Amino acid sequence: MLHCINLEEKEQANRYRLDQQHTLRSLKAEGLALHPLIVTRRSFGYADYPEIQFRLPYPVESNLFRDGSAIECFKEGEEPVKGILLSSDNKSGEFRLFAPDFPDWIEDDGVGIKLAPDTRTSSIMKKAMEGIGSNKTLSALFDEIHGERTVHKTPSNVSPENIHWKDDTLNESQRAAVSAILEDEQITIVHGPPGTGKTTTLVEAILQLKQNGEKILVCAPSNTAVDHIARELIRKGARCLRLGNTAKVDPEVFPHTPEGRLNNSRQQKEIRQLKIRAEEFRKMALKYKRNFGKAEREQRNLLFKEVKQIREEIRKLQAYNEEKLLEEAEVLLGTPIGLHDAGLDKLKAAVLVMDEAGQCMEPLAWTVFHLAPRIVLAGDHLQLPPTVLSDEAAKQGLNRSILEAAIGTQQRVYLLNTQYRMRNSIAGFSNEWFYKGLLQTAGHLADSGVHIHFIDTAGSGFGETPGGEGFSLQNEGELQLTAALIRSDGIDPSRLAFISPYSGQVDKARQQLPAGIRISTIDSFQGQEKEIVIVSLVRSNDDSVIGFLKDYRRMNVAMTRAKEQLLMIGDSATLGADPFYRALLDYIERNGSYRTVWEYDLMG
């Protein structure tokens, strides 16, 4: 794993480089750079770091720009400035710079941001992996997860009948999972396929744990997932403290961050005064413009040094206040790095709950496993794995999640077996192929007509073509067919999501399809849902090459987003050579509607 982290670090450094070989044009085409940016607001945020809000002049697919990503702000001919992405969607975002002030050129034309190697996260992961061998408890857990040590489990001592349920609507499989989490065992796995109420189950378990006076840690690899479970716990009355990157948290969650908790307090007033002083020194330093002599440069540096010292004082004050808040909270929430940075080593937590564990690479999980003696892993290893840039690191297992690593060796795996999202026939194929027929559909979602459709483009000449600058594929014909489908079926755009595996197709769709449709790559749409979903598969060629459609987990995500109607567009001649897609086509013929492109008026 240490070797894989090094491989990934090298690949990031190589891929994110901006030089003659890696031009701005190619970085943008690969989704590694956002350029040009239009700065809409500047402010000083956490610890007085400069923060910039921006919008993009045109929508882009920015799913690689995740909250907390390391970035560099750049302009041709200027020294880039390192920072962190606070939030981003396909139209706008916000980032923080690790600098005493805004660059002079920040509002010039041609400013952009690009992903940068996340050396800090890499170093934290490496340190965590290196420390396993010297910690007997972690070493034993590592061996157990990797099947090198068998632990004989004690019989259950927590019965669902003896629990006073906070939510009495939980089904039998959800109650069994909660009961298992309440047992005094080192590791418990909750396998939650799409729509099975994983968050509902975890919230109930956490409320039961805190009732016993135990402090609980909750983490997930993305800030979005952390905020989702935080909202649910806050609504149920849990005393939560949301740690880490809180610059763009939901308004409902913000009062439960350290900053939100300290608002209007005496300590916050003291911090505000320090910020005013820092701003005064900063303004004095800014009187020195770009071109000045040695004496002026030294004076400017001294002023910035004073600003830095004040900011350090602010950080120490915040750390002191946060320590008290940590003691008071029942539930502490953050990403693994957010929890790591909060310095929780001396805190006595009873349980660590990791949500979306199917998207957490294993070394990242080990950065927090030492924080509690009991661990709950929740998620679905049959959906998309963690994103890894290095092909070699992926081959050697870096893109295998902690959930995938553990689920094959652990006895304590609890499947949530009833889905409440989609019609029975929409869930049916995923249930057969991925979940061994164990997934049930709630009674009110029984089919009431035809809910799954395949529209075949075979023989139409709708071939795939290289997308923007040759980096991602497009299929113009499938977009024409999508527009015809919307017209002929009278689909309300507000109820519709258009998704595709290829960012090139998504970019083209944003230009051509009606306004109001949610348009996204499959990867970006994981965890979301819509009443109606159209999936454009894009691949159409004479050699039956389907590229990364071969990752069937991506299709599991795609097929389980629709609640009422799932419409898939593709070329059966290209797809049918693959056993998975052949089985899918057979399933739709038996359980849905199989149509052809010839049934539609593409001219509108």
Side-chain angles (χ1 to χ4, degrees), residues 513-526:
L513 295 183
I517 299 171
R518 173 76 168 93
I519 299 172
S520 171
T521 59
I522 294 170
D523 296 44
S524 292
F525 206 60
Q526 180 159 308

Side-chain angles (χ1 to χ4, degrees), residues 189-202:
I189 295 174
V190 178
H191 181 192
T196 53
K198 175 170 56 68
T199 301
T200 302
T201 304
L202 293 181

Side-chain angles (χ1 to χ4, degrees), residues 154-158 178-185 374 412 414:
T154 55
S156 172
N157 58 358
V158 179
V178 172
S179 302
I181 291 169
L182 298 182
E183 292 172 16
D184 190 19
E185 294 287 352
R374 290 154 58 193
R412 296 172 54 77
Y414 295 83

Side-chain angles (χ1 to χ4, degrees), residues 35 40 63 81 98 114 120 144 179 222 237 242 304 308 320 331 348 421 465 479 514 519 544 575 582 597:
H35 177 274
T40 55
N63 61 297
V81 183
F98 299 135
K114 69 181 185 69
R120 184 168 183 275
E144 184 186 341
S179 302
S222 76
R242 169 66 164 94
F304 276 138
K308 190 176 179 181
Y320 171 75
V331 186
K348 289 187 178 177
R421 173 183 294 163
T465 56
L479 290 176
I519 299 172
S544 297
L575 300 169
R582 188 163 60 249
V597 63

Side-chain angles (χ1 to χ4, degrees), residues 359-374:
Q359 288 190 285
C360 181
M361 64 175 67
E362 185 173 348
L364 188 59
W366 288 101
T367 65
V368 289
F369 275 4
H370 67 286
L371 295 175
R374 290 154 58 193

Side-chain angles (χ1 to χ4, degrees), residues 165-213:
W165 298 99
K166 310 289 184 187
D167 183 348
D168 58 11
T169 67
L170 295 185
N171 64 42
E172 192 176 326
S173 69
Q174 291 169 329
R175 290 183 180 219
V178 172
S179 302
I181 291 169
L182 298 182
E183 292 172 16
D184 190 19
E185 294 287 352
Q186 189 173 24
I187 185 164
T188 303
I189 295 174
V190 178
H191 181 192
T196 53
K198 175 170 56 68
T199 301
T200 302
T201 304
L202 293 181
V203 166
E204 177 70 33
I206 292 164
L207 294 175
Q208 295 289 343
L209 287 166
K210 84 172 185 62
Q211 188 174 265
N212 299 333

Side-chain angles (χ1 to χ4, degrees), residues 458-479:
S460 65
F462 289 175
E464 64 192 55
T465 56
E469 303 176 28
F471 282 98
S472 184
L473 296 174
Q474 296 177 351
N475 191 313
E476 180 76 31
E478 289 191 8
L479 290 176

